[in-house]
């Protein structure tokens, strides 16, 4: 870890000003990703501004839904009555990630901005365009079983690791950010993270110095029928091979609305819009779920070692939708 | 024996649950500096330049040690090392002696600074240039260049090459398949760490995370050119080892750094370094063929292994169990060993048997299916009561009981032979079993016992407790051998200045040190008896030594328990504040893993009870049973319950013994389901780098584990009758799980680990 | 046995010491609401090691109970002054901005009970309680700890009286090498209050059902303890220990010989 200047921001404006003024500066949330990457020498900010004491840690009802604070912790969010009752999908997704200790530290803003777990990215002696633009992508022709099957480019085949964000994608969340001089803007969740394209070094569309102040969750009628399914190599405390956030609302047995987002398959939470479209207005049956999943995965482009993800994702979509139908009760992943 | 065997809680438990037990990295010294190594970034070649001028100016940097300025160590010299007890190394590569690179991640320099943060930051900045050569990075690619080693740990490596061809060809039933196991890493929770403190120029103390204080001391003394008694190694607590601790030369690196800095220096390896620099279990590709007659009697067993090594002669001996199990008339065990530019493979919990039982015991299951025989019945039908190679009887063997008891406790009869018969919601349910086996070894050991006039007893030996319960069971043994309560006994271990004991490896500690402890206690009682007999005011005055027994802190006249004399009284009348005795026991089969050093009074034990490998074969056995639930859609496997029945001789403490077995089973669950390190062929470096990628089981992966012991003392291994217990628990586990997965799904997965991608 | 308190393995002196040490009202030190009588029973099981420091001959071990006087800082860059409470006492330190809470505890405050297993948030050995919640001290920068209240494994026992979770770990052999143990115990202690708060986990059957406190099934305990890796494989025993403290009643020990004798 290289030397850096540390400060403790008293208020959001100060924090934003400090980080905007120094291209080498970073906000420090729980530190569970940033400190890890700094110890690995993957990231070397010259300045850290601790934002965990700022007043953006609340969870409250708004006119259009619920707003969750950017510096609220993952565990506070997952356990909040408003979230558990109205957005159980989000609670399940957060609780599927990391460990109790990490969720106690991790902030919602930090979670959205966590970086890929691609091991070539982590090993500073190996090439990686995300870490060092132009050095090449180690994973493209390397060991890529954990990598993307959708939306990758020759420049980068990494996947984005967050579970929470997969649920947020399915819930059409809106990210509120604040920049220098009180410049506030909102970003639709689908536009928040990026595909790698030619600039894999950019994970998302946040600008230097912009602070995530809150995330809005629009009102929905999915609370009764949603499910977060996560497949991993051990039963807990591991990142997803494939995960699915699924939410349904029905008219009789007819699908009124459906949301499906996948984790572990792309450089951002992957909205399965083909499958969603396929299902709209159809009967909520297993065979329809399966057909929709087939349709979605037709467009998958697996790499040398991750063809299994295509099969796995199909089955996981079907299973998650079934889980949602059963009222989002845990016990489906084995 | 009232204490031995009792499930008493660990006597060191209090220290461990309060955070007071101290591990190597915690022995901070006044004026101590911190070291951080620099590692090679190529797989093979030479360092062409290493420019440390810039980092020497970094804040806090005290010194930079590399091949350019490192202390010259004694060169490798096997006969001389053997004489010094320093032959047994993790890798034959004394650090920083030249500019060659043998594998990616090799330590090529070490930076010493005022703080850990500064040492790490500076180490990352060292500029090194290399001339890289073409490296061997992949087992399959290198197999055509592999060698057939002739020796394996002193025994013939290639056994009966070609001799099974005919019997297999003429067998009525045959299975012949290839199984593979990946690279696995030990990853004890405590990282390897050393604090080196020089006193003058020729006395060194190392607080080192090691499985053998004696061994580490001997290695350090040899390479640093110091008299053995000038190097003291201290390790009161060691946070697990599993074979990875004690043989690695980063310890020398710290001593060299401390010398260069002129200050005590601490180095704790990072998890990332533990993926490369302290050994691993090499990957294996194993081809196993079995032939039987129509009745299911084995006619031949063939077990061939392809594997690799690097900087030692050691290779994964995965054919071992195929020379011990079952009554086949011919067996052939062979190896091809390639050489890779990869951190050097080493011993890891049940080396050989862990991957080997996976292959053999899956093959046994496949044959049972072909024969339409119950897998338990098939094994019982082919059971052997003798070592099939040597023709010796096993010293003590209850394997058939293990099968029967295991089958009953597990409820094996509820299994259907046909796969895919049992469902539970989304899961397919399957049962599988396998045989467990591991050799029972014993080495020389010395133990000293002292008693104060107040009745406090201290037991001393240079053994180690890596979590196995050494502290506790030694206290139990001494309590019985002296007739005093456990809570009057102190145990001092983990210090090379104590009487020599073997390293904590090969499941030998208990079998080795307890006979010596008993003998030392007997000597101590004899000394007390001599005092009493000579003392006219003793009720035992003038008696013969063999008329005197002991109980409850007293010597007692045999046959007249009114005639007693308490230890305290004997000592106070004789004006002795302390009596002391030390004994060395040496098994007939030799010193084994013990470092040669000054012995105490050698004690003769009748050959019949003394691990005589010319007359008996010493092996532990067991039976492993697993129930798995497989979600075929998602590819996930859940081990739902596990039963393990073990025949390991006498149980010294049922509580700690059970812990050892469940720990072994959990290690096996890891190997079965998730553990694997993959490497990038282009650079040779691991792409599984940390505990985030190298998955070991977490609590949710682990089901209730039902452990049963046969508990019958082995009359021939030692007067104590205990064989080791640390390793057998892992053997057979992966096979039992894979066999259960077959029973559940009808899918035979022959490549470990059974990750979800292999089952969807 | 139920009602009669016995200390079978203790000497008279030890029994007396224990009785003197036992506070009448345990609630201050026991976050789990464990009843006194049960706790005493638990202690009897662990009797042989209750005052066990006496058994070990390594003198160095007797040091550290509370934080030592902070060692003088060496090689501090970008120094940050922090003041925080550790196990009840206020500590003022000048730390390098890069120093983690874990290294501050281990290298500066001589509180080496918290362990470094991976230094990257991947094992849980460094788990401590900060403001009552379990966190990983290896990913917490010391500089962020101003005004925080930190409890480490050294701060759980009350003098010589073990926290019930510590006693239960001894009774159920919830460790082997002991290196993951401080983290496991801190984690388990925090888990008791999370359960009391009704917090959910990934294996909670229905997260929409909220309530005051939850009774943890074995599966719940296993999931919630999955952030603490034990390579020795003490998991089933750890679950037994936690179940005992959480359930307020004795959990049988499960070792046995094949023929049913013990
Ligand atoms: C071993 C391990 C296992 C894990 N497993 C999982 C898992 O299974 N699933 C999962 O989803 N996650 C997992 N995680 C990741 C974890 O969830 C993230 O590290 C965490 O959410 C990041 O939050 P933080 O507050 O600690 O972020 P930090 O590390 O503090 O920050 C991360 C980034 O976000 C920026 N940032 C922080 N807050 C803001 C803000 N308000 N506005 C703008 N930028 C901000 C920082 O500058 C930094 O660049 C795991 C982590 C570890 C270490
Ligand atoms: S996949 Fe992306 S992150 Fe991984 S090596 Fe390639 S460029 Fe780097
Ligand atoms: S040391 Fe902190 S999680 Fe491993
Ligand atoms: S007791 Fe050794 S790691 Fe848990």
């Amino acid at each position: 870890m290289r030397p850096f200047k540390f400060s403790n921001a008293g208020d959001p404006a100060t924090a934003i000003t400090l980080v905007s003024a120094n291209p080498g500066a970073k906000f420090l949330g729980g530190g569970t990703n940033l400190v890890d990457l700094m110890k690995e020498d993957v990231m070397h900010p010259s300045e850290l501004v601790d934002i965990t004491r700022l007043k953006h840690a609340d969870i409250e009802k708004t006119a259009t839904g619920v707003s969750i604070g950017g510096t609220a912790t993952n565990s506070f969010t997952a356990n909040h009555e408003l979230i558990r009752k109205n957005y159980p999908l989000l609670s399940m997704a957060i609780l599927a990630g990391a460990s109790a200790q990490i969720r106690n530290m991790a902030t919602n803003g930090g979670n959205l901005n966590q970086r890929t777990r691609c091991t070539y990215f982590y090993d500073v002696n190996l090439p990686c365009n995300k870490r060092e633009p132009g050095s090449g992508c180690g994973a493209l022709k390397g060991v890529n079983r954990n990598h993307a099957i959708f939306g990758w480019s020759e420049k980068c085949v990494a996947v984005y690791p967050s579970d929470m964000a997969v649920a947020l994608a399915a819930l059409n969340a809106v990210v509120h950010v604040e920049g220098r001089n009180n410049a506030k803007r909102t970003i639709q969740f689908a536009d928040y993270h990026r595909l790698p394209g030619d600039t894999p070094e950019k994970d998302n569309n946040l600008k230097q110095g912009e602070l995530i102040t809150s995330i809005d969750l629009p009102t929905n009628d999915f609370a009764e029928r949603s499910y977060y399914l996560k497949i991993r190599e051990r039963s807990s405390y591991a990142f997803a091979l494939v995960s699915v956030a699924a939410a349904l609302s029905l008219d009789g047995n007819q699908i009124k609305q459906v949301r499906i987002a996948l984790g572990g398959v792309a450089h951002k939470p992957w909205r399965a819009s083909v499958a969603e479209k396929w299902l709209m207005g159809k009967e909520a049956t297993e065979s329809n779920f399966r057909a929709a999943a087939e349709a979605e995965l037709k467009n998958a482009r697996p790499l040398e070692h991750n063809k299994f993800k295509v099969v796995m994702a199909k089955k996981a979509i079907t299973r998650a939708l079934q889980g949602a139908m059963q009222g989002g009760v845990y016990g489906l992943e084995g | 024996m009232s204490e031995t065997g009792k499930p008493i809680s660990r006597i060191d438990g209090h220290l461990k649950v309060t955070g007071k037990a101290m591990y190597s990295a915690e022995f901070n010294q006044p004026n101590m500096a911190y070291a951080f190594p620099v590692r090679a970034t190529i797989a093979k070649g030479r360092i062409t330049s290493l420019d440390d001028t810039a980092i020497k100016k970094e804040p806090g940097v005290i010194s930079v040690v590399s091949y350019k300025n490192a202390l010259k160590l004694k060169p490798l010299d096997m006969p001389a090392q053997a004489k010094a007890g320093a032959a047994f190394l993790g890798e034959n590569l004394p650090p920083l002696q030249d500019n060659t690179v043998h594998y990616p991640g090799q330590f090529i320099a070490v930076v010493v600074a005022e703080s850990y943060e500064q040492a790490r930051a500076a180490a990352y900045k060292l500029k090194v240039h290399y001339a890289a050569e073409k490296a061997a990075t992949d087992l399959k690619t290198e197999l055509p260049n592999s060698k057939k080693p002739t020796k394996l740990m002193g025994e013939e490596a290639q056994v009966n090459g070609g001799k099974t061809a005919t019997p297999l060809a003429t067998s009525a039933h045959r299975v012949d398949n290839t199984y593979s196991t990946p690279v696995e890493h030990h990853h004890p929770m405590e990282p390897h760490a050393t604090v080196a403190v020089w006193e003058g120029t020729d006395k060194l103390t190392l607080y080192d995370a090691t499985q053998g204080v004696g061994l580490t001391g001997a290695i350090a003394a040899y390479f640093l050119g110091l008299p053995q008694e000038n190097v003291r190694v201290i390790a009161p607590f060691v946070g697990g080892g599993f074979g990875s601790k004690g043989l690695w030369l980063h310890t020398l690196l710290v001593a060299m750094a401390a010398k260069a800095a002129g200050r005590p220096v601490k180095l704790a390896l990072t998890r990332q370094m533990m993926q490369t620099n302290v050994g691993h279990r090499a990957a294996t590709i194993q081809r196993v063929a079995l032939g039987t007659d129509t009745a299911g009697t084995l006619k031949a067993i063939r077990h061939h292994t392809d594997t690799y090594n690097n900087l030692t002669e050691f290779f994964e001996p995965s054919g071992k169990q195929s020379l011990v199990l079952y009554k086949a008339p011919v067996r052939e065990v062979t190896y091809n060993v390639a050489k890779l530019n990869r951190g050097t493979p080493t011993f890891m919990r049940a080396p050989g048997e862990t991957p080997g039982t996976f292959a053999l015991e899956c093959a046994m299951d496949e044959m049972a299916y072909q024969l339409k025989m119950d897998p338990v019945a098939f094994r019982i039908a082919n059971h052997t009561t003798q070592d099939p190679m040597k023709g010796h009887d096993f010293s003590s063997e209850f394997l058939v009981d293990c099968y029967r008891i295991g089958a009953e406790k597990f409820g094996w009869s509820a299994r259907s032979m046909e796969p895919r018969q049992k469902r539970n919601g989304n899961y397919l349910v399957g049962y599988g079993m396998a045989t467990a086996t591991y050799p029972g070894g014993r080495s020389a050991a010395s133990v000293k016992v002292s008693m104060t006039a107040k009745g406090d007893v201290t037991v001393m030996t240079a053994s180690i407790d890596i979590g196995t319960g050494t502290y506790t069971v030694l206290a139990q043994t001494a309590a019985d051998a002296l007739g005093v309560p456990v809570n009057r006994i102190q145990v001092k271990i983990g210090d090379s200045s104590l009487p020599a004991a073997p390293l904590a490896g090969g499941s030998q500690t208990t079998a080795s040190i307890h006979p010596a402890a008993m003998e030392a206690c007997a000597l101590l009682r004899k000394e007390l008896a001599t005092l009493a007999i000579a003392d006219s005011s003793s009720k035992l005055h003038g008696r013969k030594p063999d008329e005197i027994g002991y109980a409850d802190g007293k010597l007692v006249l045999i046959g007249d328990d009114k005639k007693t004399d308490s230890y305290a009284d004997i000592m106070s009348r004789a004006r002795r504040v302390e009596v002391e005795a030390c004994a060395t026991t040496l098994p007939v089969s030799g010193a084994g893993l013990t470092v040669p050093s000054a012995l105490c009074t050698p004690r003769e034990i009748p050959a019949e009870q003394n691990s005589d490998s010319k007359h008996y074969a010493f092996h532990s056995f067991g039976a492993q049973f697993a129930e798995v639930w497989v979600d075929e859609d998602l590819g996930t496997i859940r081990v739902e319950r596990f039963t393990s029945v073990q025949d390991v001789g006498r149980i010294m403490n049922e509580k700690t013994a059970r812990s050892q077995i469940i720990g072994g089973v959990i290690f096996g669950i890891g190997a079965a389901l998730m553990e694997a390190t993959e490497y990038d062929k282009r650079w040779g470096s691991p792409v599984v780098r940390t505990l985030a990628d190298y998955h070991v089981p977490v609590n949710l992966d682990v089901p209730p584990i039902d452990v049963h012991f046969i508990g019958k003392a082995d009359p021939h291994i030692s007067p104590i009758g205990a064989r080791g217990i640390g390793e057998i628990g892992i053997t057979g586990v992966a096979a039992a799980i894979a066999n259960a997965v077959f029973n559940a799904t009808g899918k035979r997965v022959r490549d470990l680990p059974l990750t979800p991608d292999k089952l969807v | 046995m139920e009602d009669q308190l016995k200390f079978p393995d203790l000497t008279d002196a030890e029994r007396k010491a224990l009785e003197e040490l036992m506070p009448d009202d345990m609630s201050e030190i026991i976050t789990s609401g464990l009843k006194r009588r049960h706790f005493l029973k638990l202690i009897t099981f662990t009797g042989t090691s209750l005052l066990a420091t006496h058994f070990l001959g390594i003198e160095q071990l007797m040091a550290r109970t509370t934080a030592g006087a902070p060692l003088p800082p060496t090689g501090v860059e970008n120094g940050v002054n922090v003041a925080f409470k550790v196990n009840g006492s206020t500590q003022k330190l000048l730390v390098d901005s890069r120093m983690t809470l874990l290294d501050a505890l281990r290298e500066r405050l001589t509180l080496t009970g918290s362990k470094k297993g991976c230094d990257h948030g991947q094992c849980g050995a460094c788990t401590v309680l900060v403001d009552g919640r379990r966190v990983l001290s290896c990913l917490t920068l010391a500089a962020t700890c101003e005004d925080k209240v930190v409890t480490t494994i050294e701060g759980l026992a009350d003098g010589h009286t073990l926290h019930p979770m510590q006693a239960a770990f001894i009774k159920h052999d919830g460790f082997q090498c002991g290196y993951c143990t401080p983290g496991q115990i801190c984690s388990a202690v925090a888990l008791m209050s999370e359960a009391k708060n009704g917090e959910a986990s990934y294996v909670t059957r229905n997260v929409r059902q909220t309530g005051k406190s939850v009774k943890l099934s074995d599966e719940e305990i296993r999931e919630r303890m999955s952030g603490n890796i034990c390579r020795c494989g003490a998991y089933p025993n750890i679950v037994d220990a936690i179940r005992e403290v959480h359930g307020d009643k004795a959990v049988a020990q499960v070792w046995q010989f094949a023929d049913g004798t013990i």
Side-chain angles (χ1 to χ4, degrees), chain A residues 39 101-102 237, chain B residues 189 271 691, chain C residues 102 115-127 135-139 227:
Chain A
K39 287 183 184 181
Q101 290 95 313
I102 293 174
Y237 202 16
Chain B
M189 287 319 297
R271 240 343 121 177
L691 282 180
Chain C
L102 177 61
K115 302 301 181 204
K116 187 185 282 193
C118 69
D119 214 19
H120 288 272
Q122 302 158 354
C123 76
C126 63
T127 303
V135 300
L136 300 177
S137 58
C138 73
L139 293 181

Side-chain angles (χ1 to χ4, degrees), chain B residues 1-21:
Chain B
M1 297 230 172
S2 53
E3 292 298 338
T4 305
K6 259 200 203 164
I8 66 165
S9 296
R10 288 172 200 258
I11 64 169
D12 52 342
H14 190 280
L15 290 173
K16 284 178 174 171
V17 302
T18 53
K20 287 183 210 151

Side-chain angles (χ1 to χ4, degrees), chain A residues 55 77 122 151 157 177 214-215 260 267-268 310 319 334:
Chain A
K55 290 197 172 39
T77 309
Y122 263 86
V157 295
V177 306
S214 66
I215 302 160
I260 306 166
H267 197 262
K268 61 190 283 190
V310 177
R319 184 68 69 78

Side-chain angles (χ1 to χ4, degrees), chain B residues 208-292:
Chain B
D208 186 55
T210 175
Q211 289 174 238
V213 280
L215 186 73
T216 299
I219 292 172
Y222 175 82
F223 285 102
L224 294 165
L226 299 173
Q228 195 149 321
E229 59 278 11
N230 283 16
V231 180
R232 183 172 175 199
V233 181
I234 297 175
F237 289 97
V238 177
F242 313 114
S244 75
K245 281 181 180 160
L247 311 174
W248 299 89
L249 301 183
H250 59 269
T251 306
L252 295 178
L253 206 65
V254 195
M256 292 155 79
K259 192 142 219 186
R263 291 165 61 169
V265 165
K266 164 151 83 182
L267 167 67
L269 299 192
T270 64
R271 240 343 121 177
Q272 291 83 336
M273 293 170 192
M274 290 170 73
Q275 279 281 127
T276 296
N277 302 77
V278 286
H280 62 271
R281 192 198 302 285
T284 67
I285 302 169
Q286 304 174 58
R287 187 164 163 192
V288 176
L290 305 175
T292 71

